[in-house]
């Protein structure tokens, strides 16, 4: 048997017949049309942020179906399973945005641009949904602009309060939006970065944004772009927290349903390819929106055929990575991984790479140290262990921050260490 166990059922095999039936019986999260088209079945997966303590390893970890489908009614790509939000974003939620220098810089530029272009000042109000540890809103606080963060995870919310970011620890809902509006807290700017895809009540969330915005306000929302996900084979971006995968077409239809209009869109390289939507209560679409609408229609994003080969791409990447790691282990090479990220958990589980082939994972987030990756059981250590142990190869699980990681680990590479980047296909750098 190789270092990676390939015995038993191959979870990357062809999609089971039951998947098609479940899609046929499902309703779209956005337009509610009955009947979705199957795209990819990733099998039974643990929660991607469900890190395990040493004591947890004695008991089996819960796994849940992770299946991706396409809506022929509004073009929204989505997963079928909806897990309770408190299960996903509870007391032990481990993600803290401020540990990424690249994300901090990205957020600072976004804030400064909004301050300038929207003429924000002491009488304005900026509200961020899923504000995490205050990584973005702190830029507005520094400029003397009133802010309100809303985040359901106690750890990050408490960290935000400690740096002076006014934060409500709760899920953003239409009811909460109505309560804030009644209290006179209407927003000049509502920011939602990587949260629209996370909410179970997609329509209620957008209706809440419409209620919270001033008539002259703007919602600025970032989300991974489904076109980049499909074109680059980014299957590891799919996990239970990410319920939806938007295009300009599907996002525009969702906003319009609630009296909001997509007037501007920007393509961003962050997180493997994202879009920044500018949404207002008044319809005045710029060329950026019209051009991307036309591009998506021309490329076929509004039809199921565009997504038909994605399952083959995902299986090919996982198989190639599994073969590469197994070959390196057979040659006696030591292998670590960088980034105890949610996407990393999906990559490891789908490729069936566990603690028998990867010695440890390093991460800058101190809240993750001493724990183990979900499903694969690989221990998580400080980044300093990369130089202390100098493994021959390091699998870059957080490949969306590749440039930042490569710059940080120049010494590791100078000593002969090599990185394996899994997306768009496994390769060594």
């Amino acid at each position: 048997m190789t270092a990676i166990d390939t015995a038993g059922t191959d979870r990357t095999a062809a999609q089971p017949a039951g998947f098609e039936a479940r899609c046929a019986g499902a309703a779209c999260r956005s337009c509610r049309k009955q009947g979705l088209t199957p795209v990819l079945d990733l099998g039974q997966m643990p929660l991607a942020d469900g890190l395990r303590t040493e004591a947890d390893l004695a008991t089996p970890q819960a796994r849940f179906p992770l299946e991706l489908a396409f809506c022929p009614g509004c073009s929204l790509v989505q997963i079928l399973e909806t897990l309770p939000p408190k299960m996903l974003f509870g007391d032990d939620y481990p993600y803290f945005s401020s540990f990424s220098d690249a994300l901090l810089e990205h957020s600072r530029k976004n804030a400064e641009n909004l301050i300038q272009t929207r003429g924000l000042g002491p009488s304005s109000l900026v509200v961020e949904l899923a504000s995490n540890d205050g990584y973005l809103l702190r830029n507005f606080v520094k400029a003397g602009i009133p802010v309100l963060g809303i985040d359901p995870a106690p750890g990050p919310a408490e960290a935000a309060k400690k740096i002076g970011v006014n934060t409500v620890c709760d899920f953003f809902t239409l009811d909460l939006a109505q309560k804030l509006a009644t209290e006179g807290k209407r927003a000049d700017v509502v920011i939602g970065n990587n949260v629209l895809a996370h909410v179970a009540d997609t329509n209620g969330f957008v209706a809440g944004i419409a209620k919270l915005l001033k008539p002259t306000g703007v919602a600025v929302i970032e989300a991974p772009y489904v076109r980049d996900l499909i074109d680059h084979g980014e299957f590891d971006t799919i996990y239970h927290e990410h319920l939806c995968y938007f295009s300009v077409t599907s996002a525009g239809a969702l906003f319009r349903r609630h009296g909001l209009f997509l007037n501007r869109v920007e393509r961003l390289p962050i997180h493997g390819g994202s879009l920044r939507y500018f949404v207002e209560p008044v319809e005045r679409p710029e060329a950026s929106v019209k051009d991307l609408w036309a591009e998506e229609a021309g490329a076929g994003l509004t039809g199921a055929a565009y997504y038909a080969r994605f399952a083959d791409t995902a299986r090919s990447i996982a198989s190639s990575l599994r073969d590469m790691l197994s070959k390196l282990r057979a040659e006696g090479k030591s292998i670590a991984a960088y980034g105890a990220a949610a996407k990393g958990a999906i990559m490891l589980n789908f490729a069936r790479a566990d603690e028998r082939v990867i010695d440890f994972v390093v991460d800058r987030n101190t809240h993750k140290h001493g724990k183990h990756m979900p499903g694969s059981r690989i221990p998580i250590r400080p980044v300093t262990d990369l130089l202390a142990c100098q493994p021959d190869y390091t699998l870059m699980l957080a490949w969306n921050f590749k440039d930042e990681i490569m710059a940080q680990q120049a010494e590791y590479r100078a000593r002969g260490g090599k990185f394996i980047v899994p997306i768009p296909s496994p390769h060594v750098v």
Side-chain angles (χ1 to χ4, degrees):
M1 186 175 291
T2 60
I4 303 176
D5 186 5
T6 57
T9 301
D10 185 351
R11 285 190 319 223
T12 63
Q15 322 276 18
F19 179 32
E20 284 79 3
R22 287 188 291 276
C23 287
C28 175
R29 297 177 181 278
S30 178
C31 71
R32 307 309 301 168
K33 179 180 175 62
Q34 191 79 17
L36 305 179
T37 303
V39 175
L40 169 65
D41 180 11
L42 286 166
Q44 298 283 328
M45 284 282 173
L47 299 184
D49 277 315
L51 304 183
R52 307 283 275 169
T53 65
E54 196 72 33
D56 291 335
L57 297 180
T59 57
Q61 186 164 17
R63 291 175 177 262
F64 308 91
L66 189 55
E67 301 162 326
L68 190 72
F70 167 79
C71 175
C74 69
S75 303
L76 179 63
V77 176
Q78 57 204 278
I79 65 171
L80 300 184
E81 191 80 3
T82 303
L83 299 179
K86 289 185 181 297
M87 179 186 293
L88 299 171
F89 307 104
D91 293 349
D92 58 350
Y93 185 62
Y95 182 73
F96 287 72
S97 299
S98 292
F99 283 101
S100 169
D101 294 337
L103 184 58
L104 289 177
E105 179 63 11
H106 171 83
S107 303
R108 182 188 64 79
K109 290 179 179 178
N110 185 19
E112 291 179 352
N113 180 65
L114 286 170
I115 291 170
Q116 180 180 10
T117 58
R118 304 298 297 188
L120 302 178
S123 61
S124 306
L125 176 63
V126 177
V127 178
E128 185 182 6
L129 316 178
S131 49
N132 200 258
D133 58 8
Y135 73 105
L136 187 151
L137 287 183
R138 67 186 191 179
N139 295 286
F140 295 98
V141 172
K142 183 179 178 181
I145 298 166
V147 302
L148 176 65
I150 302 172
D151 197 285
E158 190 58 35
K161 293 176 184 177
K162 287 180 179 178
I163 62 170
V165 175
N166 182 27
T167 303
V168 173
C169 187
D170 202 351
F171 290 95
F172 179 72
T173 62
L174 176 57
D175 287 345
L176 179 56
Q178 290 171 331
K179 179 177 180 292
L180 293 172
T182 300
E183 294 171 354
K185 296 175 181 175
R186 301 286 297 277
D188 296 274
V189 177
V190 172
I191 298 174
N193 291 343
N194 298 297
V195 59
L196 181 61
H198 290 62
V199 294
D201 183 6
T202 308
N203 284 287
F205 188 85
V206 176
I209 293 175
K211 175 64 67 173
L212 191 59
L213 271 181
K214 291 179 180 177
T216 56
V218 62
V220 183
I221 297 169
E222 290 183 21
Y225 190 17
V226 72
R227 184 173 187 177
D228 291 321
L229 183 150
I230 298 297
D231 289 354
H232 303 153
E234 299 168 2
F235 71 89
D236 55 342
T237 305
I238 302 163
Y239 42 93
H240 294 102
E241 292 173 17
H242 285 178
L243 302 172
C244 300
Y245 304 83
F246 288 98
S247 60
V248 174
T249 302
S250 60
L254 171 62
F255 296 136
R256 180 177 292 272
R257 193 176 301 120
H258 301 283
L260 295 173
F261 302 95
L262 179 54
N263 289 332
R264 182 182 176 192
V265 64
E266 297 175 355
R267 293 196 72 166
L268 307 169
I270 196 164
H271 298 310
S274 299
L275 292 181
R276 179 181 288 158
Y277 304 103
F278 293 79
V279 183
E280 298 172 288
V282 178
E283 186 172 16
R284 46 189 174 202
E286 297 181 3
S288 60
V289 177
K290 297 175 183 178
D291 290 348
L292 274 175
W293 267 332
E295 281 186 30
E296 289 182 356
L301 268 74
T302 57
Y306 180 79
Y307 307 91
R309 298 183 60 84
F310 185 57
D312 289 338
T313 300
R315 288 194 291 269
S316 175
I317 292 170
S319 177
S320 297
L321 179 61
R322 184 165 61 247
D323 290 346
M324 178 186 289
L325 296 176
S326 185
K327 182 175 184 292
L328 291 173
R329 272 302 205 190
E331 294 171 353
K333 304 298 185 183
S334 55
I335 306 173
Y338 193 111
K343 62 167 65 284
I346 300 301
M347 179 66 70
L348 292 171
N349 279 275
F350 197 55
R352 298 199 307 279
D354 58 23
E355 79 277 13
R356 292 169 293 178
V357 67
I358 295 177
D359 299 319
F360 58 90
V361 178
V362 298
D363 199 284
R364 295 181 70 189
N365 187 338
T366 56
H367 302 278
K368 298 182 179 183
H369 297 165
K371 296 184 178 180
H372 297 253
M373 292 294 289
S376 63
R377 302 164 62 96
I378 303 169
I380 303 169
R381 302 181 186 176
V383 173
T384 51
D385 278 20
L386 206 58
L387 284 178
C389 300
Q390 192 62 35
D392 298 311
Y393 290 85
T394 298
L395 173 60
M396 193 179 293
L397 297 174
W399 52 263
N400 50 319
F401 292 113
K402 180 180 72 172
D403 293 342
E404 177 182 349
I405 294 169
M406 298 276 275
Q408 288 174 2
Q409 299 305 318
E411 185 176 350
Y412 166 73
R413 299 181 71 203
R415 292 183 184 181
K418 296 180 174 65
F419 280 105
I420 300 169
V421 182
I423 298 294
S425 62
H427 59 283
V428 176
V429 294

